[in-house]
Amino acid sequence: MSYKKLDEFPKDFFWGASTSAYQVEGAWNEDGKGPSVIDMAPVVEGTTDFKVTSDHYHHYKEDVKLFADLGLKAYRFSIAWTRIFPKGNGEINMKGIEFYHNLINEIIAHGIVPIVTMYHFDLPYALAEKGGWSNRATADAFVNYSKTLFEHYGDRVKYWLTINEQNMMILHGDAIGTAASGDTENPLQDLYQQNHHMLLAQAKTMVLCHEMLPTAKIGPAPNISAVYPASSKPEDVLAASNCSALRNWLYLDMAVYGRYNNIAWSYLKERNALPNIAEGDMAIMAKANPDFIAFNYYNTATVAEAGESDFKNSTGDQQITIGEKGMFKGTSNPNLVVNEFGWEIDPVGFRNTFREIYQRYALPLIVTENGLGAFDKVEADGAINDDYRINYLAQHIEQIQLAISDGVDVFGYCPWSAIDLVSTHQGCSKRYGFIHVNREEFDLKELKRSKKKSFYWYQALINEHSGIAVAS
Ligand code: BG6
């Protein structure tokens, strides 16, 4: 549908940007922080580890000042569970509590709204050693951790995100570095048992948040994308429905409606992989209600009918759909171009995704990640002319406005990433930020910050939408 005139972005729209703790903070073992699964995972050859990253831990004041200069109305970041509880549970590390006190205060002092993810891939290693999410006790540890966050930061943090991209951890845990050992006779059942425990932890946390912090809002943060059939062949349409159920709706149906998606459930049943559900679990799932849905969007998936042959589950990349025996087979979409890393770019798919989510759940939406990874070049005069990033973001923002005009309630956009950081498995040379950090994979240099062309572009865009006159 096209419009003669598009609806405006709401005046109080959260023009934001995103990071995650383990990708930006560094200081991986400082001030009492315990190791996470990411710290203990093997480093991908040719790329940096996560020990220093952008050293935001030591540069946070400078960084928040830059975020304010960028004009951010909101900043979405995560808290490292292992700074608060070095072993995942038990004794609190007051130095960790203090760091986020300071960070949150700094953010608020600069007029920026903090949006906090409680868990972004960095499960405490001590919990992983005890079975990780396969162990129901991890769900209890998460709830205890979230209670601690609510107690310490609930007076200032009004927007909470539970678990970042739970669906990607389940579907592509190998690529992200979060996969559990799989030391079990029935790996698929174990995987979906982990999934059940995460869903349970999330549900309990949402209930707790509403009890403890009546004015705060909380929601899930999966990676959601529209799934296209490769053709109009009915079997391909069915394959798209299968893929969407396993990739998207399994997670959101539970978060919002408190029930297992029927297609996902039938898939698990057929493979003898149903999770064990303890008495009372489903009552908690039903009781938990998110206030909004946060989602990350990078691209869409296109799938065809799949035969009975096996697919390798991990592609080495979390954004590329491979397939699932008897369910769907990932294909490339001939209508889309790809970025330098083979990720298809689909701005219109963004609008499709907004529409699908909103029609299904009718909850306010916020985008907590969207962006372009690229090898930026620093010119001799220090400039970084990342026009490709500007184009990508501009095209996606245009589609948000179209989605708003379609009647979708969108209250924020937090592109990935506020500042350069280390990618999940492709190092720090794959850059996403508005702010450049001058380090290389194995040379930390001075970690100096500088503004890219996209910084000035986003700043002007935010100012324009906020009615702030821009000096020419
Ligand atoms: C999302 C994650 O999957 O995509 C981020 O939430 C991640 O942590 C982002 O960095 C981009 O992916 P990558 O692999 O390029 O870092």
Side-chain angles (χ1 to χ4, degrees), residues 92-292:
I92 299 185
N93 174 34
M94 290 316 290
K95 283 274 189 193
I97 294 281
E98 190 189 323
F99 172 69
Y100 293 108
H101 261 309
N102 294 340
L103 177 62
I104 290 166
N105 287 345
E106 197 71 17
I107 292 166
I108 293 173
H110 281 85
I112 301 172
V113 173
I115 301 177
V116 172
T117 311
M118 292 185 251
Y119 163 44
H120 191 124
F121 300 162
D122 49 359
L123 182 72
Y125 188 68
L127 295 181
E129 283 187 305
K130 292 184 199 147
W133 285 105
S134 303
N135 183 349
R136 199 178 159 92
T138 296
D140 297 332
F142 181 82
V143 179
N144 180 55
Y145 161 61
S146 59
K147 181 166 171 269
T148 308
L149 299 187
F150 296 152
E151 277 164 1
H152 287 273
Y153 309 124
D155 58 335
R156 284 152 294 152
V157 176
K158 301 297 172 199
Y159 291 86
W160 296 92
L161 310 174
T162 54
I163 302 177
N164 178 69
E165 293 196 355
Q166 179 179 332
N167 54 342
M168 293 296 114
M169 283 196 275
I170 295 299
L171 297 169
H172 298 287
D174 290 340
I176 301 170
T178 54
S181 68
D183 186 16
T184 153
E185 279 174 15
N186 189 344
L188 192 65
Q189 195 281 336
D190 180 55
L191 187 65
Y192 283 90
Q193 191 65 52
Q194 293 179 28
N195 188 50
H196 181 74
H197 290 151
M198 282 194 231
L199 291 170
L200 184 67
Q202 168 171 272
K204 286 185 172 176
T205 297
M206 291 198 293
V207 170
L208 189 67
C209 180
H210 289 137
E211 282 169 8
M212 290 177 66
L213 310 172
T215 61
K217 294 181 193 299
I218 187 162
N223 178 309
I224 302 295
S225 70
V227 180
Y228 304 139
S231 76
S232 56
K233 199 170 136 193
E235 288 79 2
D236 288 348
V237 177
L238 211 53
S241 158
N242 288 339
C243 178
S244 218
L246 278 192
R247 189 201 186 289
N248 299 320
W249 313 138
L250 166 59
Y251 302 89
L252 287 179
D253 283 2
M254 186 60 85
V256 181
Y257 300 136
R259 59 166 156 75
Y260 268 101
N261 174 277
N262 60 299
I263 298 166
W265 188 258
S266 301
Y267 158 85
L268 294 174
K269 191 168 151 208
E270 175 65 18
R271 284 154 183 79
N272 193 26
L274 287 177
N276 297 316
I277 299 178
E279 210 187 318
D281 285 3
M282 295 315 289
I284 293 163
M285 304 280 202
K287 195 175 164 199
N289 293 309
D291 300 290
F292 59 83

Side-chain angles (χ1 to χ4, degrees), residues 19-20 22-23 76 120-121 164-165 168 175-176 221 223 296-298 316-319 339 341 343 368-373 416-417 421-427 430-432:
T19 62
S20 89
Y22 84 92
Q23 294 174 278
R76 178 265 193 169
H120 191 124
F121 300 162
N164 178 69
E165 293 196 355
M168 293 296 114
I176 301 170
N223 178 309
N296 300 347
Y297 174 87
Y298 289 89
D317 207 313
Q318 77 268 33
Q319 303 295 349
N339 73 13
F341 295 86
W343 298 16
T368 38
E369 285 184 34
N370 169 241
L372 183 74
W416 186 260
S417 50
L421 37 69
V422 180
S423 127
T424 56
H425 61 286
Q426 286 163 312
K430 182 186 194 182
R431 295 174 184 272
Y432 283 92

Side-chain angles (χ1 to χ4, degrees), residues 31-86:
D31 291 337
K33 180 183 171 296
S36 74
V37 291
I38 302 285
D39 297 319
M40 303 305 276
V43 178
V44 177
E45 209 187 324
T47 68
T48 176
D49 55 28
F50 292 92
K51 291 190 163 74
V52 178
T53 65
S54 301
D55 201 27
H56 175 68
Y57 190 78
H58 297 112
H59 289 250
Y60 77 91
K61 286 195 176 176
E62 177 189 351
D63 292 345
V64 172
K65 197 163 173 295
L66 281 162
F67 299 163
D69 190 8
L70 178 57
L72 295 190
K73 306 291 174 214
Y75 171 48
R76 178 265 193 169
F77 62 100
S78 78
I79 290 182
W81 188 341
T82 50
R83 283 199 200 285
I84 307 298
F85 288 105

Side-chain angles (χ1 to χ4, degrees), residues 313-452:
N313 227 351
S314 171
T315 59
D317 207 313
Q318 77 268 33
Q319 303 295 349
I320 295 175
T321 305
I322 282 287
E324 206 49 60
K325 188 175 172 176
M327 293 288 280
F328 60 90
K329 177 173 76 182
T331 62
S332 57
N333 186 331
N335 304 297
L336 302 175
V337 294
V338 294
N339 73 13
E340 288 178 279
F341 295 86
W343 298 16
E344 286 170 344
I345 298 178
D346 187 4
V348 177
F350 199 19
R351 182 181 179 188
N352 285 325
T353 304
F354 273 115
R355 284 179 168 213
E356 284 194 26
I357 304 173
Y358 195 69
Q359 288 192 88
R360 207 175 164 101
Y361 304 107
L363 281 172
L365 304 182
I366 179 166
V367 179
T368 38
E369 285 184 34
N370 169 241
L372 183 74
F375 296 108
D376 292 340
K377 180 166 178 265
V378 185
E379 304 295 342
D381 63 355
I384 295 145
N385 297 315
D386 55 343
D387 294 276
Y388 36 86
R389 183 166 293 113
I390 294 172
N391 289 340
Y392 177 100
L393 295 171
Q395 286 173 13
H396 284 78
I397 290 170
E398 191 185 339
Q399 296 298 323
I400 303 178
Q401 200 174 355
L402 281 157
I404 290 173
S405 304
D406 290 336
V408 179
D409 180 357
V410 189
F411 70 100
Y413 177 62
C414 299
W416 186 260
S417 50
I419 183 167
D420 281 349
L421 37 69
V422 180
S423 127
T424 56
H425 61 286
Q426 286 163 312
C428 67
S429 315
K430 182 186 194 182
R431 295 174 184 272
Y432 283 92
F434 294 107
I435 299 163
H436 181 262
V437 177
N438 85 325
R439 60 157 294 179
E440 289 168 11
E441 297 296 342
F442 303 107
D443 183 355
L444 288 175
K445 298 184 164 175
E446 314 84 37
L447 295 160
K448 202 163 126 327
R449 276 68 173 143
S450 61
K451 298 171 182 173
K452 302 184 191 177

